[in-house]
PDB file of all heavy atoms in Angstrom:
ATOM      1  N   ASP H  36     -31.577 -26.569  11.897  1.00  0.00           N
ATOM      2  CA  ASP H  36     -31.170 -25.175  12.084  1.00  0.00           C
ATOM      3  C   ASP H  36     -32.169 -24.417  12.961  1.00  0.00           C
ATOM      4  O   ASP H  36     -31.785 -23.630  13.827  1.00  0.00           O
ATOM      5  CB  ASP H  36     -31.030 -24.482  10.738  1.00  0.00           C
ATOM      6  CG  ASP H  36     -29.901 -25.064   9.894  1.00  0.00           C
ATOM      7  OD1 ASP H  36     -29.039 -25.773  10.450  1.00  0.00           O
ATOM      8  OD2 ASP H  36     -29.893 -24.811   8.668  1.00  0.00           O
ATOM      9  N   ALA H  37     -33.468 -24.663  12.741  1.00  0.00           N
ATOM     10  CA  ALA H  37     -34.500 -23.943  13.495  1.00  0.00           C
ATOM     11  C   ALA H  37     -34.483 -24.334  14.968  1.00  0.00           C
ATOM     12  O   ALA H  37     -34.653 -23.476  15.850  1.00  0.00           O
ATOM     13  CB  ALA H  37     -35.872 -24.216  12.887  1.00  0.00           C
ATOM     14  N   LEU H  38     -34.291 -25.608  15.256  1.00  0.00           N
ATOM     15  CA  LEU H  38     -34.258 -26.046  16.656  1.00  0.00           C
ATOM     16  C   LEU H  38     -33.001 -25.553  17.349  1.00  0.00           C
ATOM     17  O   LEU H  38     -33.029 -25.233  18.545  1.00  0.00           O
ATOM     18  CB  LEU H  38     -34.349 -27.574  16.726  1.00  0.00           C
ATOM     19  CG  LEU H  38     -35.689 -28.158  16.279  1.00  0.00           C
ATOM     20  CD1 LEU H  38     -35.611 -29.679  16.200  1.00  0.00           C
ATOM     21  CD2 LEU H  38     -36.818 -27.734  17.216  1.00  0.00           C
ATOM     22  N   THR H  39     -31.905 -25.470  16.627  1.00  0.00           N
ATOM     23  CA  THR H  39     -30.678 -24.909  17.198  1.00  0.00           C
ATOM     24  C   THR H  39     -30.888 -23.450  17.554  1.00  0.00           C
ATOM     25  O   THR H  39     -30.487 -22.990  18.638  1.00  0.00           O
ATOM     26  CB  THR H  39     -29.509 -25.051  16.207  1.00  0.00           C
ATOM     27  OG1 THR H  39     -29.304 -26.438  15.920  1.00  0.00           O
ATOM     28  CG2 THR H  39     -28.236 -24.466  16.787  1.00  0.00           C
ATOM     29  N   ARG H  40     -31.526 -22.696  16.667  1.00  0.00           N
ATOM     30  CA  ARG H  40     -31.785 -21.279  16.951  1.00  0.00           C
ATOM     31  C   ARG H  40     -32.754 -21.124  18.118  1.00  0.00           C
ATOM     32  O   ARG H  40     -32.607 -20.214  18.946  1.00  0.00           O
ATOM     33  CB  ARG H  40     -32.360 -20.582  15.708  1.00  0.00           C
ATOM     34  CG  ARG H  40     -31.336 -20.350  14.612  1.00  0.00           C
ATOM     35  CD  ARG H  40     -31.885 -19.379  13.567  1.00  0.00           C
ATOM     36  NE  ARG H  40     -33.082 -19.898  12.919  1.00  0.00           N
ATOM     37  CZ  ARG H  40     -33.078 -20.656  11.838  1.00  0.00           C
ATOM     38  NH1 ARG H  40     -31.933 -21.010  11.276  1.00  0.00           N
ATOM     39  NH2 ARG H  40     -34.218 -21.073  11.306  1.00  0.00           N
ATOM     40  N   ALA H  41     -33.754 -21.987  18.200  1.00  0.00           N
ATOM     41  CA  ALA H  41     -34.738 -21.882  19.282  1.00  0.00           C
ATOM     42  C   ALA H  41     -34.077 -22.046  20.639  1.00  0.00           C
ATOM     43  O   ALA H  41     -34.498 -21.423  21.620  1.00  0.00           O
ATOM     44  CB  ALA H  41     -35.838 -22.921  19.103  1.00  0.00           C
ATOM     45  N   ALA H  42     -33.034 -22.864  20.713  1.00  0.00           N
ATOM     46  CA  ALA H  42     -32.328 -23.054  21.979  1.00  0.00           C
ATOM     47  C   ALA H  42     -31.511 -21.832  22.346  1.00  0.00           C
ATOM     48  O   ALA H  42     -31.258 -21.579  23.531  1.00  0.00           O
ATOM     49  CB  ALA H  42     -31.422 -24.281  21.894  1.00  0.00           C
ATOM     50  N   ASP H  43     -31.102 -21.043  21.344  1.00  0.00           N
ATOM     51  CA  ASP H  43     -30.251 -19.879  21.594  1.00  0.00           C
ATOM     52  C   ASP H  43     -31.022 -18.574  21.699  1.00  0.00           C
ATOM     53  O   ASP H  43     -30.586 -17.639  22.371  1.00  0.00           O
ATOM     54  CB  ASP H  43     -29.203 -19.745  20.475  1.00  0.00           C
ATOM     55  CG  ASP H  43     -28.228 -20.915  20.441  1.00  0.00           C
ATOM     56  OD1 ASP H  43     -28.041 -21.539  21.496  1.00  0.00           O
ATOM     57  OD2 ASP H  43     -27.671 -21.205  19.368  1.00  0.00           O
ATOM     58  N   ASP H  44     -32.145 -18.476  21.022  1.00  0.00           N
ATOM     59  CA  ASP H  44     -32.930 -17.244  21.025  1.00  0.00           C
ATOM     60  C   ASP H  44     -33.754 -17.131  22.313  1.00  0.00           C
ATOM     61  O   ASP H  44     -33.847 -18.074  23.096  1.00  0.00           O
ATOM     62  CB  ASP H  44     -33.868 -17.205  19.814  1.00  0.00           C
ATOM     63  CG  ASP H  44     -33.110 -17.120  18.501  1.00  0.00           C
ATOM     64  OD1 ASP H  44     -31.902 -16.816  18.542  1.00  0.00           O
ATOM     65  OD2 ASP H  44     -33.707 -17.376  17.445  1.00  0.00           O
ATOM     66  N   GLU H  45     -34.364 -15.983  22.495  1.00  0.00           N
ATOM     67  CA  GLU H  45     -35.190 -15.764  23.684  1.00  0.00           C
ATOM     68  C   GLU H  45     -36.607 -16.276  23.445  1.00  0.00           C
ATOM     69  O   GLU H  45     -37.582 -15.530  23.484  1.00  0.00           O
ATOM     70  CB  GLU H  45     -35.189 -14.281  24.059  1.00  0.00           C
ATOM     71  CG  GLU H  45     -33.824 -13.784  24.524  1.00  0.00           C
ATOM     72  CD  GLU H  45     -33.864 -12.345  24.994  1.00  0.00           C
ATOM     73  OE1 GLU H  45     -34.966 -11.764  25.021  1.00  0.00           O
ATOM     74  OE2 GLU H  45     -32.799 -11.802  25.330  1.00  0.00           O
ATOM     75  N   VAL H  46     -36.698 -17.559  23.180  1.00  0.00           N
ATOM     76  CA  VAL H  46     -37.986 -18.219  22.959  1.00  0.00           C
ATOM     77  C   VAL H  46     -38.392 -18.897  24.251  1.00  0.00           C
ATOM     78  O   VAL H  46     -37.587 -19.567  24.897  1.00  0.00           O
ATOM     79  CB  VAL H  46     -37.893 -19.248  21.815  1.00  0.00           C
ATOM     80  CG1 VAL H  46     -39.234 -19.926  21.592  1.00  0.00           C
ATOM     81  CG2 VAL H  46     -37.404 -18.586  20.540  1.00  0.00           C
ATOM     82  N   ARG H  47     -39.660 -18.750  24.649  1.00  0.00           N
ATOM     83  CA  ARG H  47     -40.107 -19.299  25.923  1.00  0.00           C
ATOM     84  C   ARG H  47     -40.944 -20.576  25.757  1.00  0.00           C
ATOM     85  O   ARG H  47     -41.126 -21.325  26.697  1.00  0.00           O
ATOM     86  CB  ARG H  47     -40.926 -18.237  26.672  1.00  0.00           C
ATOM     87  CG  ARG H  47     -40.158 -16.942  26.979  1.00  0.00           C
ATOM     88  CD  ARG H  47     -39.309 -17.061  28.202  1.00  0.00           C
ATOM     89  NE  ARG H  47     -40.108 -17.092  29.406  1.00  0.00           N
ATOM     90  CZ  ARG H  47     -40.416 -16.024  30.152  1.00  0.00           C
ATOM     91  NH1 ARG H  47     -39.985 -14.825  29.795  1.00  0.00           N
ATOM     92  NH2 ARG H  47     -41.128 -16.148  31.254  1.00  0.00           N
ATOM     93  N   ALA H  48     -41.467 -20.814  24.557  1.00  0.00           N
ATOM     94  CA  ALA H  48     -42.216 -22.042  24.260  1.00  0.00           C
ATOM     95  C   ALA H  48     -42.205 -22.246  22.753  1.00  0.00           C
ATOM     96  O   ALA H  48     -42.109 -21.281  21.988  1.00  0.00           O
ATOM     97  CB  ALA H  48     -43.651 -21.955  24.769  1.00  0.00           C
ATOM     98  N   LEU H  49     -42.298 -23.518  22.339  1.00  0.00           N
ATOM     99  CA  LEU H  49     -42.239 -23.830  20.916  1.00  0.00           C
ATOM    100  C   LEU H  49     -43.406 -24.728  20.525  1.00  0.00           C
ATOM    101  O   LEU H  49     -43.721 -25.693  21.233  1.00  0.00           O
ATOM    102  CB  LEU H  49     -40.913 -24.514  20.573  1.00  0.00           C
ATOM    103  CG  LEU H  49     -40.697 -24.821  19.081  1.00  0.00           C
ATOM    104  CD1 LEU H  49     -39.299 -24.438  18.647  1.00  0.00           C
ATOM    105  CD2 LEU H  49     -40.951 -26.297  18.779  1.00  0.00           C
ATOM    106  N   VAL H  50     -44.036 -24.390  19.403  1.00  0.00           N
ATOM    107  CA  VAL H  50     -45.121 -25.199  18.834  1.00  0.00           C
ATOM    108  C   VAL H  50     -44.631 -25.785  17.516  1.00  0.00           C
ATOM    109  O   VAL H  50     -44.109 -25.061  16.664  1.00  0.00           O
ATOM    110  CB  VAL H  50     -46.387 -24.348  18.586  1.00  0.00           C
ATOM    111  CG1 VAL H  50     -47.471 -25.190  17.896  1.00  0.00           C
ATOM    112  CG2 VAL H  50     -46.906 -23.776  19.899  1.00  0.00           C
ATOM    113  N   LEU H  51     -44.795 -27.100  17.352  1.00  0.00           N
ATOM    114  CA  LEU H  51     -44.446 -27.776  16.108  1.00  0.00           C
ATOM    115  C   LEU H  51     -45.738 -28.270  15.467  1.00  0.00           C
ATOM    116  O   LEU H  51     -46.539 -28.969  16.105  1.00  0.00           O
ATOM    117  CB  LEU H  51     -43.517 -28.955  16.390  1.00  0.00           C
ATOM    118  CG  LEU H  51     -43.026 -29.751  15.167  1.00  0.00           C
ATOM    119  CD1 LEU H  51     -42.177 -28.868  14.249  1.00  0.00           C
ATOM    120  CD2 LEU H  51     -42.224 -30.969  15.619  1.00  0.00           C
ATOM    121  N   THR H  52     -45.955 -27.909  14.204  1.00  0.00           N
ATOM    122  CA  THR H  52     -47.196 -28.293  13.527  1.00  0.00           C
ATOM    123  C   THR H  52     -46.928 -28.510  12.046  1.00  0.00           C
ATOM    124  O   THR H  52     -45.781 -28.396  11.582  1.00  0.00           O
ATOM    125  CB  THR H  52     -48.294 -27.229  13.752  1.00  0.00           C
ATOM    126  OG1 THR H  52     -49.547 -27.736  13.306  1.00  0.00           O
ATOM    127  CG2 THR H  52     -47.968 -25.925  13.037  1.00  0.00           C
ATOM    128  N   GLY H  53     -47.981 -28.845  11.298  1.00  0.00           N
ATOM    129  CA  GLY H  53     -47.868 -29.056   9.865  1.00  0.00           C
ATOM    130  C   GLY H  53     -48.868 -28.208   9.106  1.00  0.00           C
ATOM    131  O   GLY H  53     -49.883 -27.775   9.655  1.00  0.00           O
ATOM    132  N   ALA H  54     -48.594 -28.003   7.850  1.00  0.00           N
ATOM    133  CA  ALA H  54     -49.435 -27.135   7.022  1.00  0.00           C
ATOM    134  C   ALA H  54     -50.584 -27.909   6.382  1.00  0.00           C
ATOM    135  O   ALA H  54     -50.468 -29.089   6.060  1.00  0.00           O
ATOM    136  CB  ALA H  54     -48.583 -26.487   5.926  1.00  0.00           C
ATOM    137  N   GLU H  55     -51.704 -27.235   6.230  1.00  0.00           N
ATOM    138  CA  GLU H  55     -52.837 -27.647   5.382  1.00  0.00           C
ATOM    139  C   GLU H  55     -53.374 -29.053   5.676  1.00  0.00           C
ATOM    140  O   GLU H  55     -53.423 -29.924   4.810  1.00  0.00           O
ATOM    141  CB  GLU H  55     -52.448 -27.516   3.906  1.00  0.00           C
ATOM    142  CG  GLU H  55     -52.136 -26.076   3.503  1.00  0.00           C
ATOM    143  CD  GLU H  55     -51.886 -25.928   2.015  1.00  0.00           C
ATOM    144  OE1 GLU H  55     -52.372 -26.782   1.235  1.00  0.00           O
ATOM    145  OE2 GLU H  55     -51.210 -24.965   1.627  1.00  0.00           O
ATOM    146  N   GLY H  56     -53.770 -29.260   6.931  1.00  0.00           N
ATOM    147  CA  GLY H  56     -54.538 -30.459   7.243  1.00  0.00           C
ATOM    148  C   GLY H  56     -53.772 -31.731   7.478  1.00  0.00           C
ATOM    149  O   GLY H  56     -54.370 -32.816   7.490  1.00  0.00           O
TER     150      GLY H  56
END
Side-chain angles (χ1 to χ4, degrees):
D36 295 343
L38 293 172
T39 300
R40 287 193 299 271
D43 295 335
D44 294 345
E45 293 184 4
V46 180
R47 300 278 288 266
L49 183 135
V50 176
L51 182 63
T52 191
E55 297 186 24

